[in-house]
Amino acid sequence: AGPSRVWVLTPEGVAFGGQNGFSLIPGLDAPMTGRDGTPIAAGVPDGSLWLATLHNVVQLREGRVVTTLPVAADLLAVARDGSLWLAREGALFQYRNGTVVPIPFGKSASGKSGSPGASIRALCAGARGTLYVATSGALGILSSGSFTWKTAADGLPTSRILHLFEDRQGALWISTEDSVARYAQGRFET
């Protein structure tokens, strides 16, 4: 939000402020929480915040709502270019050019399936335009408009992925129910 201003997400709603105090943003539903209890939110490089509420997804900037998308979301991820990725009930979407666009995902060119319609468990927008999608059965890597799917046969340690994070070197860190793995240069390390 800026060097001296922050967003505070509470069960009662969203507050914005800094050393001179905080104010709840009026008329905004309380944030939705993910399966781990944390709010479903994603920061944008410009200091704004995307937030999933019960009925929609909103973009907040400088303490006010600037964009409202008429969709609900279970997961959000923001790419470095500011584009927004959303997942809801096994479906994947991208918000671009003012429109929420469904993104089909399924079998890769090699025939590996990402279990379309399966539960999407985690999203991570990578620095090089790559989107990582963890489903209940695989790790999908969307690059240049097509998916590649990684499974246990490729070295994925488990299909029970909880969180995804890309570090500054471009390696993907994968937290699972019982381990942490790193994916870099096409290989998994545990």
Side-chain angles (χ1 to χ4, degrees):
S4 62
R5 299 168 72 121
V6 296
W7 299 101
V8 179
L9 308 178
T10 73
E12 290 78 33
V14 179
F16 179 76
Q19 62 188 20
N20 294 328
F22 289 85
S23 299
L24 277 176
I25 298 174
L28 187 62
D29 292 341
M32 293 294 293
T33 57
R35 66 185 176 282
D36 62 0
T38 59
I40 300 170
V44 182
D46 68 6
S48 63
L49 178 76
W50 284 103
L51 177 71
T53 68
L54 181 59
H55 302 291
N56 51 39
V57 175
V58 295
Q59 184 179 25
L60 307 168
R61 183 179 291 123
E62 292 297 321
R64 65 183 192 284
V65 176
V66 294
T67 306
T68 300
L69 306 180
V71 296
D74 299 320
L75 297 165
L76 301 174
V78 175
R80 294 228 171 119
D81 67 2
S83 61
L84 176 68
W85 293 92
L86 309 92
R88 176 70 176 180
E89 297 177 355
L92 180 64
F93 304 90
Q94 185 181 28
Y95 176 66
R96 60 177 179 225
N97 302 324
T99 305
V100 177
V101 178
I103 305 296
F105 65 102
K107 291 187 178 179
S108 67
S110 68
K112 289 184 185 172
S113 176
S115 302
S119 173
I120 298 175
R121 302 186 53 83
L123 291 177
C124 179
R128 295 176 189 88
T130 301
L131 179 71
Y132 300 97
V133 179
T135 69
S136 55
L139 174 67
I141 304 168
L142 176 61
S143 182
S144 301
S146 65
F147 273 97
T148 301
W149 292 98
K150 302 294 183 180
T151 64
D154 301 299
L156 182 64
T158 177
S159 62
R160 309 286 278 158
I161 296 171
L162 301 175
H163 301 282
L164 301 171
F165 174 78
E166 186 184 70
D167 67 22
R168 290 184 180 150
Q169 289 74 40
L172 181 69
W173 290 89
I174 304 161
S175 77
T176 71
E177 290 181 330
D178 55 6
S179 67
V180 174
R182 181 176 181 268
Y183 179 74
Q185 300 175 347
R187 293 190 351 238
F188 290 98
E189 301 170 8
T190 55

